[in-house]
Every structure is written in structure tokens, then in C-alpha cells.
Amino acid sequence: MNAAQKDRAPRFEAHLIDRLPPVRGRLTENAPLDRVTWFRVGGPAEVLFKPADREDLIAFLEAKPAEVPVTLLGVGSNLLVRDGGVPGVVIRLGRDFARLSAEEGYVLAAGAGALDLNVAKAAQLAGIAGLEFFCGVPGTLGGALRMNAGAYGAETKDVLIEAEAVDAKGGLHRVTVDELGMSYRHSDAPADWIFISARLQGEAGEPDEIARRMGEIQRQREDSQPIRTRTGGSTFKNPPGHKAWELVDRAGCRGLTVGGAQVSEKHCNFLINRGEASAADIEALGEEVRRRVKEESGIALEWEIKRIGVPLDESPAETAGGAA
Ligand SMILES: Cc1cc2nc3c(=O)[nH]c(=O)nc-3n(C[C@H](O)[C@H](O)[C@H](O)COP(=O)(O)OP(=O)(O)OC[C@H]3O[C@@H](n4cnc5c(N)ncnc54)[C@H](O)[C@@H]3O)c2cc1C
């Protein structure tokens, strides 16, 4: 966040935190989210909750006032937080949700807060092949379950046996992959479900050979994606029979800018924050790309990036520096 943005940073003043149940984890008021998402933009969470463990999460959801909205955040690698912040409670799963352990039959049990990279590494060390594609996805397993993340010819649904999730009232659900209705970058899981763990099926593999394939995947990513920039990954889903990047390119949008946001020159289905962008710049650029693609090809691109929170001018939060 630059100095001008800091001046305009909104703060929620309603002290929602006073109406929330006690927890063993951490509750933080007005927690900045621009530091924890890949785009490095956006306003604060009214309250950020990091549960100590699953019992803490469940007890909190059971006791919290029903009308308080809850939003789940992984590591924000497919997410745009709007500039007015996120009203209600934002939950991030901490260390206790990142456990990984190999089970018999080439199964990996994983907490939903684990980074996909660590899922791939744990499987490699245990000689479990077939999970190496996770090293190409820079999110958490929870995000991968929600988005059916995939890379290099494999998707989460191909290796998922079952997952555990908690609903908005604290109810625990254990579901098989078939019950989740997963398809391209989509799962039918109810919107209020918070994934907390999963079991993944691999097959026998040589750790050295798995490590070699992971190295290959990471090299290919490095060559084709702007992975060292502030970005949100693939912006739009590939429409059936088309590649989103080709449609964006054909509509003349490669390098297009709005404020501090730009369509990546390297991979034009990625939007990047050149350093000074607001969330509004990034969203406006995405909408301009959609408009141009529709005009050029007749195809309506669908956002893959999840957009959460409210714009600055609709935020119930007070703005520190006065006018936005
Ligand atoms: C450089 C780059 C490259 C990428 N490459 C790929 C790729 O090759 N393939 C691919 O599929 N994606 C890719 N992505 C996108 C992104 O990494 C994936 O979508 C990832 O699964 C998002 O995980 P996350 O933890 O960052 O989720 P977030 O971005 O934080 O959240 C995304 C969505 O998941 C939900 N969510 C997160 N955790 C949970 C949970 N525990 N329970 C319920 N819902 C949850 C959020 O509420 C939100 O709706 C890339 C992103 C970047 C920045």
C-alpha cells in the first residue's frame, strides 16, 4: 500500500468484536488484508479470526450471532479484496490446520490450511506419486478444494477421496469427492462451507522421479506465468472450446492498463498490480477486458478470481483521510 492509499484506508468503527464469542485463537479488529493477498490491495477485515484448532472454529461458529457474515481466506492467490474492506468476520486457518501425514495405501491426509506446495512435497517424501501438480498451484488445499484447482493435466478432483468441512453454524460434514460435484474450477459445496481437511489418493512412486517432475512443473510455470508479480492467477475461466488468454489477446488487451493495474505482457489471462493499483483499478480493468472480448468475439468471459468485500464508496467503514 502506498502513502496515498494508507491515508484513505477505511476503518470499521462498530466494534463487532464486542459481540463475538471468546476464542482460544486470535481475533483482530480492522486487520489489513492487503498484506496477505497476492494482489497486495484491498481494505481491512472488520474482524480477522485465526482459530487455534478445529474445536475452536466449531465453537466460534456455533456461538457467533447468526447475522454476522463469514468469509474464508486461504493465502489470497485467487482473490481480489475490494478497497472498502470486508464487513463481518474473515477466517484464516492457522498452523493447526496445516498438518500433513502419509497413510497406508499411498494416501495423504492433509489439513486445508496446508500450502499446496507442501502437500506436493510431503507426498514426494513419502513416495506418493500423482500429487506433484499441487506444486504448480500457489494456494492452500482449502482454496484448491473450493476452486477444484488444477495444473499440468490434473485437478484436485482426480486425487480427492473425501473432505471435511464445517458449515456456518458449526456443523461438521464429511463428504466424498462425488458428493462435492467438482468440475472445471468449481465445486458444488455450499458457499458457507469451510474445508478443514482432506484425504488424497496417490500411487506408488520413486521420490527422486517425483522430485524431477516437480522441478519440471516449476520451471514451466516460471517460463509462462508472471509468478514474481502481484497478481491473482488466472483472471477468467476458459470458456468451453476456448482459451481465455487467446480471446484476451485477440481483443487487443495485452498490456492494457487502468490506473496502476495492467494485463500482463507475459500471460494475458493474468492481471498485475504494478505497485500503485487499487482493487477498483484491477476490477475495472477486468471488466474492460470482458467488454472488449465480448465486442470482438461475442464471448462473455466469466471471472475465475473471487472478488470479496465492498468498494470504498459503499463501505460502512470510516475512511481515515476523509474523502476517498
Ligand atoms: C501466480 C499464480 C499462479 C496460479 N496458477 C494456478 C494454476 O495453475 N491452477 C489453478 O487451479 N490455480 C492457479 N492459481 C490460482 C490459485 O492459486 C488457486 O485457485 C488456489 O486454489 C487458491 O487458493 P488460496 O488458498 O489462495 O485461496 P484464496 O485465493 O484465498 O481463496 C479462493 C477461494 O477459495 C475459498 N477458500 C479458501 N480456503 C478455503 C477453505 N478452507 N474452505 C472453503 N473455501 C476456501 C475462498 O473463500 C475463495 O472463495 C494461481 C495463482 C497465482 C497467483
Side-chain angles (χ1 to χ4, degrees), residues 38 72-79 93 112 136-140 142-144 146-147 149-151 185 193-195 221 225 227 231-233 270 306:
W38 270 63
L72 220 288
L73 187 69
V75 288
S77 64
N78 211 201
L79 201 71
L93 304 179
V137 184
T140 61
R146 169 62 65 195
M147 307 287 297
R185 299 299 171 264
W193 278 20
I194 298 170
F195 289 105
R221 275 188 68 210
Q225 297 178 353
I227 58 174
T231 178
F270 280 57
K306 303 282 185 196

Side-chain angles (χ1 to χ4, degrees), residues 1-10 319-323:
M1 190 187 273
N2 62 33
Q5 283 167 332
K6 212 172 262 166
D7 278 351
R8 295 180 314 169
T319 307

Side-chain angles (χ1 to χ4, degrees), residues 1 16 19-20 46 75 120 186 194 207-208 251 269 279 281 295 314-315:
M1 190 187 273
L16 166 65
R19 295 197 289 126
L20 297 175
E46 186 166 13
V75 288
H186 170 83
I194 298 170
D208 287 351
N269 196 24
D281 290 342
E295 199 172 85
E314 288 171 28
S315 178

Side-chain angles (χ1 to χ4, degrees), residues 24-249:
R24 284 182 291 109
R26 207 166 58 218
L27 291 170
T28 312
E29 251 181 335
N30 283 304
L33 295 179
D34 57 326
R35 299 177 195 161
V36 295
T37 61
W38 270 63
F39 269 128
R40 293 284 185 272
V41 297
E46 186 166 13
V47 172
L48 180 69
F49 174 36
K50 272 200 173 175
D53 50 35
R54 66 161 63 196
E55 290 74 27
D56 197 29
L57 173 65
I58 290 171
F60 174 83
L61 292 168
E62 282 171 348
K64 139 193 115 47
E67 73 282 5
V68 174
V70 165
T71 306
L72 220 288
L73 187 69
V75 288
S77 64
N78 211 201
L79 201 71
L80 182 63
V81 178
R82 295 193 174 104
D83 300 308
V86 185
V89 177
V90 173
I91 297 181
R92 277 196 97 192
L93 304 179
R95 213 176 301 155
D96 201 68
F97 295 86
R99 295 173 197 273
L100 296 158
S101 63
E103 296 179 353
E104 253 183 62
Y106 307 104
V107 169
L108 190 79
L115 287 175
D116 295 320
L117 175 62
N118 292 341
V119 169
K121 280 183 179 167
Q124 182 264 330
L125 288 174
I128 301 175
L131 306 188
E132 49 272 27
F133 72 94
F134 278 117
C135 82
V137 184
T140 61
L141 184 60
L145 292 165
R146 169 62 65 195
M147 307 287 297
N148 185 25
Y152 304 95
E155 293 179 312
T156 305
K157 75 173 173 58
D158 301 336
V159 295
L160 181 64
I161 302 169
E162 58 182 9
E164 280 187 313
V166 181
D167 65 31
K169 291 186 176 150
L172 186 63
H173 303 264
R174 182 171 291 144
V175 285
T176 63
V177 60
D178 291 340
E179 289 169 312
L180 278 174
M182 292 169 114
S183 55
Y184 170 62
R185 299 299 171 264
H186 170 83
S187 123
D188 279 343
D192 67 328
W193 278 20
I194 298 170
F195 289 105
I196 55 172
S197 73
R199 293 174 71 242
L200 306 168
Q201 181 69 63
E203 57 194 32
E206 269 301 311
D208 287 351
E209 173 54 21
I210 301 170
R212 193 193 59 73
R213 282 203 297 274
M214 284 168 60
E216 232 168 57
I217 288 172
Q218 282 171 325
R219 265 190 306 281
Q220 277 183 36
R221 275 188 68 210
E222 189 101 20
D223 290 347
S224 61
Q225 297 178 353
I227 58 174
R228 304 206 183 283
T229 54
R230 299 165 181 201
T231 178
S234 296
T235 310
F236 304 109
K237 296 184 184 185
N238 289 325
H242 296 275
K243 292 214 158 65
W245 76 263
E246 280 176 357
L247 297 170
V248 174
D249 208 11

